[in-house]
C-alpha cells in the first residue's frame, strides 16, 4: 500500500474503534475485536509516520545534492526541515555565499565558504564512494584544518549508540494489560473469602424425593475498580544536537521507551496507589491483598516449597516465581542437599557440577527476574509466586506518546513523553508473597 492508502485504512480502523467504544454491553468477541483494532491502528500509525519521515528525508537529500549552496544547509530535525532564511546569507564580490550570522550554526565564515565550493562536494562524495584520486584525498582528507586553508571534513557519525545495557524488567509482561478509553476500569466481583476451594457460597444439597431445596447461599457481589493515572517525562535537548543529529528524536524516544517499561515494572510491584498504580508488594497479608509465606532468614528450600504448594491448585497451571537475580536468586542457587549437590535448578538427580546447564525453574515452574524486586534482608518481600495474569490488571488508556515542544526564544527544545495507566491486584488468591523473617 502507498501512503495515501495506508492513511485511508487507518481512518477506517479508527472509525470502527470509535463505534465499538461507544457501544454498551460489548460481547467477548467484540472486546477481542476492539483490542485487535487498537493494535492494528497503533502499528499502521507507526508505519505511516515512518513513511512520512522517509519522504521528508528523501526530499531533503535531493535538495542537498542538486540544490543551491544556500538550500543545502538545513535544520537537521525529524519534526521540521526548512532551508536557512535568505536574510542570514549574503554574497561577496565573487558571488560566493557567506553567513551574516555564522555563530547560530556553530561554524565559522571560512568553514562555510569551504563547504560551499562545488569542488568540495564532488571530492567528498568521491572519497565516500571509494573513487577518489590523489588530488581528492589531498583536498578533502589530508587538509582538514580550516586555518591551513583545507576543506572541512565532517566526522563519520555512526548509527550505533554506545551506552550501558538496561536490565529487562520481567513483571510487565506477566500481568494482564487491559486497553481502555475511560478514566476508571470497573469489574463486577464476587466477594468470597471463606475458603480456597469455592468461588461463592453457592452449594448443592441432596434433597432426596421428599425434601424441598434450601437456600444455597446468596453470592455477595462487589466491584473491582482500577483508577487511571497520568504520568509525564521531559527530556531537554540542545538545539545543536537536534541540528547536528537528524535522528536525535529517535534515539531519545528509544531511551524513553526503555524508561517507560522499567517504570511500569517498578510501579506494578512497589506502587503506593497515590497518583499511580497500586503495587503487589505494598500491603501483602492484609485484606484484599496477596497472602504471605514466611521463607525464613536465610531462605530455606523447605519454605520455598511451602510458597509454591501453598498456592491454590486452580492457579498453578500458569504460575511462576518472580525474584531478583543478582542477590536473592544467586543465594538460592548455592543451596545444597545432604550429598553436597546443588539442588536449585536441577532437572535430574545427578549433579554435573558447574559445567551443567541449570534450568531456571522451581518445581517445573519458570522463574522470571525483575530488578525492582527487593534484595535479601530481614522482613523483605523477596519473592512472588502465582498466576500474575489473573492476579493483577494493568489498565492502559494511553501508552507513551511523544511530543516535541519548541519555543524559538528558549535555548533548549524538549521532548515530552506522556502516558495514562492504572493498575491493582484484582484476585489476591492467585498470588503468594514470600517474606524473609
Amino acid at each position: 500500500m502507498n501512503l495515501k492508502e495506508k492513511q485511508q485504512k487507518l481512518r477506517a480502523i479508527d472509525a470502527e474503534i470509535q463505534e465499538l467504544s461507544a457501544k454498551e454491553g460489548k460481547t467477548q468477541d467484540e472486546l477481542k475485536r476492539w483490542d485487535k483494532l487498537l493494535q492494528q491502528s497503533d502499528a499502521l500509525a507507526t508505519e505511516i509516520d515512518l513513511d512520512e519521515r522517509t519522504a521528508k528525508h528523501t526530499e531533503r537529500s535531493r535538495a542537498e545534492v542538486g540544490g543551491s549552496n544556500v538550500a543545502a544547509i538545513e535544520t537537521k530535525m525529524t519534526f521540521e526541515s526548512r532551508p536557512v532564511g535568505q536574510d542570514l546569507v549574503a554574497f561577496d564580490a565573487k558571488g560566493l555565499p557567506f553567513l551574516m550570522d555564522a555563530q547560530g550554526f556553530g561554524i565559522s565564515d571560512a568553514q562555510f565558504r569551504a563547504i560551499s565550493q562545488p569542488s568540495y562536494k564532488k571530492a567528498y562524495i568521491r572519497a565516500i564512494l571509494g573513487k577518489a584520486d590523489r588530488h581528492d584525498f589531498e583536498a578533502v582528507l589530508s587538509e582538514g584544518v580550516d586555518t591551513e586553508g583545507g576543506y572541512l571534513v565532517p566526522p563519520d557519525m555512526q548509527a550505533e549508540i554506545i551506552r550501558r545495557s538496561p536490565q529487562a524488567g520481567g513483571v510487565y509482561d506477566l500481568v494482564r494489560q487491559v486497553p481502555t478509553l475511560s478514566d476508571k476500569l470497573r469489574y463486577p466481583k464476587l466477594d468470597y473469602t471463606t475458603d480456597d476451594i469455592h468461588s461463592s457460597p453457592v452449594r448443592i444439597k441432596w434433597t432426596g424425593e421428599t425434601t424441598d431445596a434450601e437456600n444455597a447461599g446468596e453470592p455477595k457481589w462487589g466491584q473491582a475498580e482500577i483508577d487511571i493515572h497520568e504520568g509525564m517525562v521531559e527530556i531537554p535537548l540542545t538545539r545543536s544536537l537536534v541540528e547536528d543529529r537528524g535522528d536525535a528524536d529517535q534515539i531519545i524516544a528509544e531511551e524513553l521507551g526503555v524508561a517507560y517499561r522499567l517504570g511500569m515494572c517498578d510501579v506494578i510491584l512497589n506502587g503506593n496507589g497515590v497518583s499511580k498504580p497500586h503495587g503487589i508488594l505494598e500491603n501483602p497479608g492484609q485484606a484484599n491483598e496477596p497472602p504471605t509465606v514466611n521463607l525464613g532468614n536465610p531462605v530455606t528450600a523447605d519454605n520455598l516449597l511451602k510458597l509454591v504448594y501453598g498456592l491454590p491448585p486452580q492457579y498453578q497451571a500458569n504460575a511462576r516465581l518472580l525474584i531478583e537475580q543478582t542477590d536473592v536468586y544467586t543465594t538460592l542457587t548455592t543451596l545444597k542437599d545432604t550429598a553436597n549437590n546443588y539442588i536449585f535448578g536441577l532437572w535430574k538427580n545427578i549433579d554435573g557440577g558447574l559445567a551443567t546447564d541449570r534450568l531456571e525453574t522451581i518445581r517445573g515452574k519458570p522463574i522470571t527476574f525483575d530488578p525492582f524486586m527487593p534484595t535479601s534482608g530481614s522482613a523483605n518481600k523477596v519473592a512472588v509466586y502465582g498466576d500474575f495474569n489473573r492476579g493483577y490488571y494493568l489498565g492502559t488508556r494511553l501508552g507513551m506518546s511523544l511530543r516535541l515542544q519548541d519555543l524559538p526564544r528558549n535555548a533548549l527544545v524538549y521532548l515530552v513523553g506522556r502516558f495514562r495507566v492504572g493498575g491493582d491486584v484484582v484476585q489476591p488468591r492467585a498470588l503468594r508473597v514470600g517474606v524473609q523473617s
Side-chain angles (χ1 to χ4, degrees), residues 60 296 386:
R60 183 169 67 242

Side-chain angles (χ1 to χ4, degrees), residues 200-272:
S200 75
V202 176
R203 305 286 189 274
I204 66 170
K205 181 176 178 61
W206 299 102
T207 61
E209 295 183 9
T210 59
T211 306
D212 294 333
E214 295 181 0
N215 190 334
E218 182 181 357
K220 181 181 179 182
W221 290 93
Q223 289 184 343
E225 293 186 346
I226 300 176
D227 292 323
I228 304 299
H229 306 283
E230 181 174 335
M232 298 181 68
V233 60
E234 180 180 274
I235 306 295
L237 303 172
T238 65
R239 295 185 179 276
S240 296
L241 174 62
V242 174
E243 293 166 355
D244 295 343
R245 189 69 195 248
D247 60 349
D249 63 308
Q250 300 176 24
I251 296 173
I252 300 301
E254 181 180 349
E255 292 301 310
L256 286 176
V258 173
Y260 174 80
R261 178 184 174 85
L262 291 175
M264 289 300 104
C265 290
D266 187 11
V267 79
I268 289 170
L269 292 172
N270 304 304
N272 60 11

Side-chain angles (χ1 to χ4, degrees), residues 80-353:
E80 181 182 9
S81 180
R82 57 183 176 82
V84 175
Q86 295 293 329
D87 56 330
L88 297 179
V89 180
F91 297 86
D92 60 16
K94 297 181 181 180
L96 294 175
F98 67 92
L99 288 177
M100 299 175 64
D101 182 15
Q103 297 299 321
F105 295 88
I107 61 176
S108 67
D109 176 64
Q111 289 173 331
F112 180 71
R113 288 175 182 271
I115 63 176
S116 298
Q117 297 287 345
S119 58
Y120 164 78
K121 181 183 296 183
K122 293 178 181 178
Y124 185 64
I125 292 176
R126 285 196 297 267
I128 293 176
L129 297 177
K131 299 180 180 180
D133 56 22
R134 178 175 60 83
H135 300 291
D136 292 327
F137 277 100
E138 290 177 354
V140 178
L141 302 179
S142 299
E143 299 179 88
V145 182
D146 178 63
T147 55
E148 297 177 359
Y151 288 83
L152 175 66
V153 180
D156 183 9
M157 183 65 77
Q158 299 295 309
E160 179 184 359
I161 305 171
I162 299 176
R163 61 177 180 182
R164 295 181 61 177
S165 297
Q167 288 197 41
V171 72
Y172 180 71
D173 294 324
L174 302 183
V175 301
R176 181 176 177 183
Q177 299 185 29
V178 184
T180 179
L181 297 177
S182 176
D183 289 334
K184 186 186 292 288
L185 281 172
R186 181 173 292 166
Y187 292 88
K189 182 180 180 181
L190 279 173
D191 291 328
Y192 181 78
T193 59
T194 303
D195 57 59
D196 286 325
I197 300 175
H198 301 89
S199 59
S200 75
V202 176
R203 305 286 189 274
I204 66 170
K205 181 176 178 61
W206 299 102
T207 61
E209 295 183 9
T210 59
T211 306
D212 294 333
E214 295 181 0
N215 190 334
E218 182 181 357
K220 181 181 179 182
W221 290 93
Q223 289 184 343
E225 293 186 346
I226 300 176
D227 292 323
I228 304 299
H229 306 283
E230 181 174 335
M232 298 181 68
V233 60
E234 180 180 274
I235 306 295
L237 303 172
T238 65
R239 295 185 179 276
S240 296
L241 174 62
V242 174
E243 293 166 355
D244 295 343
R245 189 69 195 248
D247 60 349
D249 63 308
Q250 300 176 24
I251 296 173
I252 300 301
E254 181 180 349
E255 292 301 310
L256 286 176
V258 173
Y260 174 80
R261 178 184 174 85
L262 291 175
M264 289 300 104
C265 290
D266 187 11
V267 79
I268 289 170
L269 292 172
N270 304 304
N272 60 11
V274 180
S275 300
K276 66 181 67 171
H278 169 71
I280 296 172
L281 300 179
E282 184 186 4
N283 294 309
Q286 304 299 315
N288 298 318
E289 298 287 347
T292 60
V293 176
N294 183 5
L295 298 181
N297 194 1
V299 177
T300 66
D302 289 346
N303 288 329
L304 282 172
L305 291 176
K306 294 177 182 178
L307 174 69
V308 171
Y309 290 112
L311 185 74
Q314 58 266 39
Y315 302 112
Q316 289 282 3
N318 297 313
R320 63 177 56 229
L321 179 67
L322 186 72
I323 205 166
E324 189 272 339
Q325 178 180 350
T326 58
D327 176 66
V328 179
Y329 186 69
T330 300
T331 302
L332 295 182
T333 57
T334 63
L335 293 175
K336 299 178 181 179
D337 60 18
T338 55
N340 209 35
N341 294 320
Y342 292 108
I343 64 175
F344 213 89
L346 287 181
W347 58 275
K348 57 184 179 180
N349 292 330
I350 301 174
D351 187 2

